[in-house]
Protein backbone atom coordinates (compact mmCIF):
# COMPACT_ATOMS: atom_id res chain seq x y z
CA UNK A 1 0.00 0.00 0.00
CA UNK A 2 1.41 3.40 -0.97
CA UNK A 3 1.87 5.98 1.76
CA UNK A 4 -0.80 8.26 0.27
CA UNK A 5 -3.36 5.46 0.13
CA UNK A 6 -2.36 4.24 3.56
CA UNK A 7 -2.93 7.63 5.19
CA UNK A 8 -6.07 8.38 3.15
CA UNK A 9 -7.86 5.18 4.14
CA UNK A 10 -6.88 5.71 7.77
CA UNK A 11 -8.38 9.22 7.65
CA UNK A 12 -11.57 7.77 6.17
CA UNK A 13 -11.67 5.13 8.90
CA UNK A 14 -11.54 7.87 11.53
CA UNK A 15 -14.08 9.97 9.65
CA UNK A 16 -16.64 7.17 9.73
CA UNK A 17 -16.72 7.47 13.52
CA UNK A 18 -17.33 11.25 13.35
CA UNK A 19 -14.75 12.31 15.91
CA UNK A 20 -15.19 9.43 18.34
CA UNK A 21 -11.99 8.62 20.23
CA UNK A 22 -10.56 12.13 19.89
CA UNK A 23 -11.86 14.20 22.81
CA UNK A 24 -11.55 13.66 26.57
CA UNK A 25 -14.65 14.24 28.70
CA UNK A 26 -16.34 13.04 31.86
CA UNK A 27 -13.13 11.97 33.61
CA UNK A 28 -13.55 10.47 37.07
CA UNK A 29 -11.39 8.48 39.49
CA UNK A 30 -7.98 7.31 38.33
CA UNK A 31 -6.87 3.67 38.60
CA UNK A 32 -3.74 2.91 40.60
CA UNK A 33 -2.69 0.02 38.35
CA UNK A 34 -3.09 -0.04 34.58
CA UNK A 35 -6.07 -1.75 33.04
CA UNK A 36 -5.11 -4.72 30.84
CA UNK A 37 -6.80 -5.04 27.47
CA UNK A 38 -6.59 -8.03 25.14
CA UNK A 39 -7.76 -7.01 21.68
CA UNK A 40 -6.88 -6.67 18.04
CA UNK A 41 -6.89 -3.49 16.00
CA UNK A 42 -9.31 -4.48 13.22
CA UNK A 43 -12.06 -5.65 15.61
CA UNK A 44 -14.91 -3.06 15.68
CA UNK A 45 -15.91 -4.17 19.19
CA UNK A 46 -12.35 -3.63 20.41
CA UNK A 47 -12.42 -0.20 18.81
CA UNK A 48 -15.35 0.78 21.02
CA UNK A 49 -13.32 0.02 24.14
CA UNK A 50 -10.24 1.84 22.81
CA UNK A 51 -12.42 4.88 22.08
CA UNK A 52 -13.71 4.82 25.66
CA UNK A 53 -10.16 4.66 26.99
CA UNK A 54 -9.40 7.86 25.05
CA UNK A 55 -12.60 9.54 26.26
CA UNK A 56 -11.71 8.82 29.88
CA UNK A 57 -8.01 9.63 29.43
CA UNK A 58 -7.03 6.16 30.64
CA UNK A 59 -3.73 4.42 29.99
CA UNK A 60 -3.76 0.66 29.48
CA UNK A 61 -1.48 -2.31 29.00
CA UNK A 62 -2.31 -3.66 25.55
CA UNK A 63 -1.86 -7.31 24.63
CA UNK A 64 -2.45 -7.64 20.86
CA UNK A 65 -4.33 -10.79 19.86
CA UNK A 66 -4.43 -10.85 16.03
CA UNK A 67 -5.96 -13.83 14.28
CA UNK A 68 -3.45 -16.68 14.23
CA UNK A 69 -1.56 -15.21 17.15
CA UNK A 70 -0.05 -17.45 19.80
CA UNK A 71 1.36 -15.11 22.48
CA UNK A 72 -1.73 -13.85 24.27
CA UNK A 73 -4.82 -15.49 22.77
CA UNK A 74 -4.29 -18.61 24.89
CA UNK A 75 -4.44 -16.58 28.09
CA UNK A 76 -7.81 -15.16 27.08
CA UNK A 77 -9.14 -18.62 26.23
CA UNK A 78 -8.05 -19.89 29.63
CA UNK A 79 -10.15 -17.15 31.22
CA UNK A 80 -13.31 -18.66 29.77
CA UNK A 81 -13.62 -18.16 26.01
CA UNK A 82 -11.72 -16.93 22.99
CA UNK A 83 -13.51 -13.64 22.48
CA UNK A 84 -12.37 -10.05 22.15
CA UNK A 85 -12.14 -7.54 23.64
CA UNK A 86 -11.26 -8.91 27.07
CA UNK A 87 -10.43 -6.55 29.93
CA UNK A 88 -8.82 -7.14 33.30
CA UNK A 89 -8.92 -4.40 35.93
CA UNK A 90 -6.43 -5.42 38.64
CA UNK A 91 -7.67 -2.59 40.85
CA UNK A 92 -11.02 -4.33 41.40
CA UNK A 93 -10.24 -7.89 40.29
CA UNK A 94 -12.78 -7.41 37.50
CA UNK A 95 -12.63 -9.45 34.30
CA UNK A 96 -15.02 -8.68 31.47
CA UNK A 97 -15.81 -9.79 27.94
CA UNK A 98 -18.35 -7.91 25.75
CA UNK A 99 -17.53 -4.39 24.57
CA UNK A 100 -20.73 -2.80 25.90
CA UNK A 101 -20.15 -4.28 29.36
CA UNK A 102 -16.57 -3.01 29.38
CA UNK A 103 -17.57 0.47 28.19
CA UNK A 104 -20.27 0.75 30.87
CA UNK A 105 -17.87 -0.47 33.53
CA UNK A 106 -15.23 2.10 32.57
CA UNK A 107 -17.82 4.90 32.50
CA UNK A 108 -19.09 4.03 35.97
CA UNK A 109 -15.73 3.28 37.57
CA UNK A 110 -13.45 5.88 35.95
CA UNK A 111 -15.86 8.42 34.49
CA UNK A 112 -19.02 10.29 35.42
CA UNK A 113 -21.22 7.32 34.53
CA UNK A 114 -22.03 8.65 31.07
CA UNK A 115 -21.41 6.60 27.92
CA UNK A 116 -20.91 8.90 24.89
CA UNK A 117 -23.67 8.87 22.28
CA UNK A 118 -21.21 7.56 19.67
CA UNK A 119 -20.91 4.38 21.75
CA UNK A 120 -24.64 4.02 22.46
CA UNK A 121 -25.92 3.59 18.92
CA UNK A 122 -25.90 -0.19 18.92
CA UNK A 123 -25.69 -1.61 15.39
CA UNK A 124 -24.76 1.81 13.96
CA UNK A 125 -21.70 2.00 16.23
CA UNK A 126 -20.61 -1.47 15.15
CA UNK A 127 -21.37 -0.80 11.47
CA UNK A 128 -19.29 2.38 11.31
CA UNK A 129 -16.42 0.63 13.06
CA UNK A 130 -16.72 -2.38 10.75
CA UNK A 131 -16.66 -0.19 7.64
CA UNK A 132 -13.58 1.54 9.00
CA UNK A 133 -11.85 -1.81 9.43
CA UNK A 134 -12.93 -2.90 5.96
CA UNK A 135 -11.24 0.16 4.48
CA UNK A 136 -8.01 -0.93 6.17
CA UNK A 137 -8.28 -4.69 5.55
CA UNK A 138 -6.18 -6.73 6.19
CA UNK A 139 -4.25 -4.30 8.40
CA UNK A 140 -4.45 -5.08 12.10
CA UNK A 141 -6.12 -8.46 11.50
CA UNK A 142 -3.62 -11.30 11.01
CA UNK A 143 -0.45 -12.17 12.88
CA UNK A 144 3.01 -11.86 11.35
CA UNK A 145 6.14 -13.51 12.70
CA UNK A 146 8.13 -11.37 15.09
CA UNK A 147 10.67 -11.32 17.87
CA UNK A 148 9.11 -10.57 21.23
CA UNK A 149 10.66 -7.63 23.10
CA UNK A 150 12.02 -8.16 26.60
CA UNK A 151 9.70 -5.48 27.92
CA UNK A 152 6.61 -3.75 26.51
CA UNK A 153 6.96 -0.75 24.24
CA UNK A 154 5.20 2.54 25.00
CA UNK A 155 2.91 4.43 22.61
CA UNK A 156 1.52 7.93 23.07
CA UNK A 157 -1.62 8.00 20.99
CA UNK A 158 -5.35 8.60 20.84
CA UNK A 159 -7.86 6.36 19.13
CA UNK A 160 -9.19 8.78 16.52
CA UNK A 161 -5.78 9.74 15.11
CA UNK A 162 -5.29 8.24 11.63
CA UNK A 163 -1.51 8.23 12.05
CA UNK A 164 -1.67 6.46 15.41
CA UNK A 165 -3.88 3.78 13.84
CA UNK A 166 -1.15 2.92 11.34
CA UNK A 167 1.30 2.29 14.19
CA UNK A 168 -1.20 0.34 16.29
CA UNK A 169 -1.92 -1.93 13.32
CA UNK A 170 1.76 -2.80 13.02
CA UNK A 171 2.07 -3.43 16.77
CA UNK A 172 -0.98 -5.67 16.58
CA UNK A 173 0.18 -7.72 13.60
CA UNK A 174 3.58 -8.29 15.23
CA UNK A 175 1.98 -9.20 18.58
CA UNK A 176 4.09 -6.59 20.36
CA UNK A 177 2.72 -5.74 23.83
CA UNK A 178 2.75 -2.07 24.69
CA UNK A 179 1.66 0.50 27.21
CA UNK A 180 -0.90 2.80 25.62
CA UNK A 181 -0.72 6.39 26.88
CA UNK A 182 -3.86 8.16 25.72
CA UNK A 183 -3.41 11.90 25.12
CA UNK A 184 -6.61 12.89 23.35
CA UNK A 185 -7.73 16.48 23.00
CA UNK A 186 -8.43 17.79 26.49
CA UNK A 187 -6.18 15.22 28.16
CA UNK A 188 -4.73 16.26 31.49
CA UNK A 189 -1.52 14.45 30.52
CA UNK A 190 -0.69 16.59 27.51
CA UNK A 191 1.58 19.02 29.36
CA UNK A 192 3.62 16.17 30.82
CA UNK A 193 3.80 14.56 27.40
CA UNK A 194 5.03 17.78 25.82
CA UNK A 195 7.78 18.04 28.41
CA UNK A 196 8.77 14.43 27.85
CA UNK A 197 8.78 14.46 24.05
CA UNK A 198 9.66 18.09 23.37
CA UNK A 199 6.48 18.75 21.39
CA UNK A 200 2.85 17.70 21.28
CA UNK A 201 2.67 15.25 18.39
CA UNK A 202 1.40 11.71 18.07
CA UNK A 203 2.16 8.93 17.51
CA UNK A 204 5.23 8.85 19.72
CA UNK A 205 6.89 5.51 20.37
CA UNK A 206 9.33 4.69 23.14
CA UNK A 207 11.23 1.41 23.13
CA UNK A 208 12.67 1.11 26.65
CA UNK A 209 14.54 -2.02 25.60
CA UNK A 210 17.14 0.07 23.78
CA UNK A 211 16.32 3.69 24.59
CA UNK A 212 14.79 4.51 21.18
CA UNK A 213 12.12 7.22 20.98
CA UNK A 214 10.57 8.62 17.81
CA UNK A 215 7.70 10.46 16.14
CA UNK A 216 6.21 9.93 12.64
CA UNK A 217 4.10 6.88 11.87
CA UNK A 218 6.09 5.86 8.78
CA UNK A 219 9.38 5.93 10.69
CA UNK A 220 7.89 4.04 13.62
CA UNK A 221 6.51 1.29 11.40
CA UNK A 222 9.88 1.04 9.65
CA UNK A 223 11.60 0.74 13.02
CA UNK A 224 9.22 -2.01 14.16
CA UNK A 225 9.74 -3.93 10.93
CA UNK A 226 13.54 -3.69 11.12
CA UNK A 227 13.83 -4.53 14.82
CA UNK A 228 11.01 -7.00 15.51
CA UNK A 229 9.58 -8.50 12.33
CA UNK A 230 11.02 -11.82 11.19
Amino acid sequence: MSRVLDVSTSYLSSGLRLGAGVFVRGVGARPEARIRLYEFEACPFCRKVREMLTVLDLDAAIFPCPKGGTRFRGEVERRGKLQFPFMIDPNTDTELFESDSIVRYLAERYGDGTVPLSLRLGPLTVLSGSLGSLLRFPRGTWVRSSRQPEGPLELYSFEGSPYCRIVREALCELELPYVLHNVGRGSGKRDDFRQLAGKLQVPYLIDPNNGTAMFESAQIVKYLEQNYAL
Side-chain angles (χ1 to χ4, degrees):
M1 186 183 294
S2 72
R3 176 65 176 171
V4 172
L5 182 59
D6 196 19
V7 173
S8 297
T9 55
S10 193
Y11 263 100
L12 287 172
S13 183
S14 293
L16 284 168
R17 294 292 294 131
L18 301 177
V22 174
F23 299 97
V24 173
R25 58 174 63 89
V27 173
R30 302 290 83 186
E32 291 185 9
R34 291 191 188 99
I35 291 164
R36 300 171 65 187
L37 182 63
Y38 296 77
E39 55 94 51
F40 65 97
E41 183 68 25
C43 168
F45 300 99
C46 299
R47 181 171 182 168
K48 291 165 62 178
V49 175
R50 295 194 308 265
E51 287 178 352
M52 194 63 181
L53 290 173
T54 292
V55 169
L56 296 179
D57 204 22
L58 291 171
D59 294 348
I62 304 295
F63 299 91
C65 298
K67 294 182 179 182
T70 58
R71 286 185 184 148
F72 308 116
R73 289 173 74 92
E75 182 174 348
V76 176
E77 190 169 20
R78 287 190 293 273
R79 303 279 182 159
K81 53 185 172 180
L82 192 59
Q83 178 178 308
F84 303 97
F86 174 63
M87 183 208 73
I88 299 174
D89 185 350
N91 302 282
T92 60
D93 293 324
T94 298
E95 298 184 3
L96 289 173
F97 291 97
E98 305 292 348
S99 58
D100 287 338
S101 296
I102 297 172
V103 166
R104 284 195 300 271
Y105 170 84
L106 294 174
E108 292 167 3
R109 183 75 188 179
Y110 300 114
D112 61 6
T114 303
V115 175
L117 177 62
S118 61
L119 293 172
R120 289 189 280 114
L121 297 177
L124 289 178
T125 298
V126 177
L127 177 61
S128 59
S130 298
L131 290 174
S133 295
L134 184 62
L135 282 170
R136 301 290 298 160
F137 186 80
R139 295 294 175 85
T141 303
W142 297 97
V143 70
R144 293 189 289 123
S145 296
S146 69
R147 177 179 64 85
Q148 187 169 7
E150 292 185 11
L153 310 184
E154 297 186 44
L155 179 67
Y156 286 80
S157 169
F158 60 89
E159 179 62 25
S161 164
Y163 296 99
C164 294
R165 177 177 298 107
I166 292 169
V167 173
R168 292 195 312 266
E169 288 169 345
L171 289 166
C172 179
E173 292 167 9
L174 296 172
E175 284 187 295
L176 301 178
Y178 62 100
V179 175
L180 174 65
H181 300 283
N182 273 302
V183 285
R185 296 181 183 178
S187 170
K189 299 179 297 221
R190 284 197 158 198
D191 286 342
D192 289 341
F193 172 49
R194 185 184 287 107
Q195 291 182 11
L196 171 70
K199 59 181 176 179
L200 188 59
Q201 178 180 315
V202 291
Y204 182 66
L205 181 83
I206 299 174
D207 187 345
N209 299 288
N210 57 24
T212 297
M214 63 177 64
F215 296 102
E216 303 295 344
S217 59
Q219 294 302 313
I220 294 173
V221 170
K222 183 179 179 181
Y223 170 82
L224 296 174
E225 294 288 340
Q226 290 177 341
N227 287 272
Y228 292 107
L230 296 178

